[in-house]
Amino acid sequence: MKNSSTTYLPENATAIGDGVFIAPSNYCIAKDVVLGDSSVVKKGKKIFTLAELNALKLAGELPEGWDIPTRLELEAVVAKYGTKRGTLHVHNLMTSLGLSLEGSLISSDFDRYNNDPSIGDSCVIGRNTLGHYLCTDVDDPAIPWMLFLNDSDSGIYVAPCDISATGSVRLVYRATST
């Protein structure tokens, strides 16, 4: 099992639907990974494009049994864990699942970040005010969608994004087919 740890045991995940579970933490590359095209994804990388996540998936580098969430799964996460006593609020979602407002990677620094993920903090804007979690389109897994979080009352939405958009990802485990 690649990238295995206790993080990626289904019993440590949170149920989001019938047989679908979300990981307790954001996905992070545990070791340098050489992809089929000879490109290298560096250890410590935790901000991705959807194309990078799909390449890691194709290379078998996601933890065994885990996958990139769909927009419907992240919409289910928002509905189930973003509401408390009938009120939708970003802090409900954050405290329920340990999601955070890690900011957004400055696009002009993405290549520099890819070469050395340890510099990530210096390339981030909006820390403590923004959070971006990638997911796929239900009909076309190559189309990026994202769970956008911002520090406001109604700061939660799932929407399509630019093909080059970057974000974190919370992988999902599907005990049954969706």
Side-chain angles (χ1 to χ4, degrees):
M1 179 185 305
K2 297 183 179 186
N3 281 328
S4 63
S5 73
T6 57
T7 297
Y8 292 104
L9 295 175
E11 56 267 24
N12 293 336
T14 301
I16 60 172
D18 188 26
V20 181
F21 301 86
I22 191 164
S25 62
N26 295 352
Y27 179 61
C28 181
I29 299 298
K31 61 177 178 49
D32 286 358
V33 173
V34 180
L35 298 174
D37 65 359
S38 299
S39 62
V40 177
V41 182
K42 299 283 190 167
K43 176 183 178 179
K45 184 173 173 70
K46 60 183 180 179
I47 300 172
F48 307 90
T49 64
L50 185 59
E52 289 173 320
L53 288 171
N54 282 325
L56 287 162
K57 177 181 174 178
L58 183 64
E61 291 297 331
L62 297 184
E64 188 175 328
W66 293 81
D67 199 2
I68 304 161
T70 67
R71 72 172 172 84
L72 293 177
E73 289 165 338
L74 288 189
E75 287 170 349
V77 165
V78 169
K80 186 169 185 175
Y81 294 102
T83 304
K84 187 174 182 180
R85 291 190 290 273
T87 302
L88 179 66
H89 195 286
V90 69
H91 292 283
N92 298 334
L93 188 58
M94 290 170 54
T95 56
S96 295
L97 295 175
L99 297 177
S100 61
L101 302 174
E102 296 177 350
S104 181
L105 189 64
I106 301 168
S107 60
S108 61
D109 284 334
F110 193 61
D111 288 337
R112 194 166 67 105
Y113 169 77
N114 280 340
N115 289 325
D116 183 7
S118 69
I119 65 157
D121 289 347
S122 67
C123 302
V124 169
I125 58 172
R127 184 169 303 286
N128 300 319
T129 60
L130 301 171
H132 300 132
Y133 291 86
L134 283 165
C135 60
T136 63
D137 182 58
V138 177
D139 298 318
D140 185 349
I143 304 293
W145 281 64
M146 197 170 296
L147 167 60
F148 293 93
L149 305 175
N150 64 53
D151 193 21
S152 69
D153 290 346
S154 58
I156 305 171
Y157 59 98
V158 178
C161 57
D162 187 81
I163 195 78
S164 63
T166 61
S168 302
V169 66
R170 284 287 179 100
L171 299 176
V172 295
Y173 180 86
R174 298 179 188 101
T176 60
S177 60
T178 56

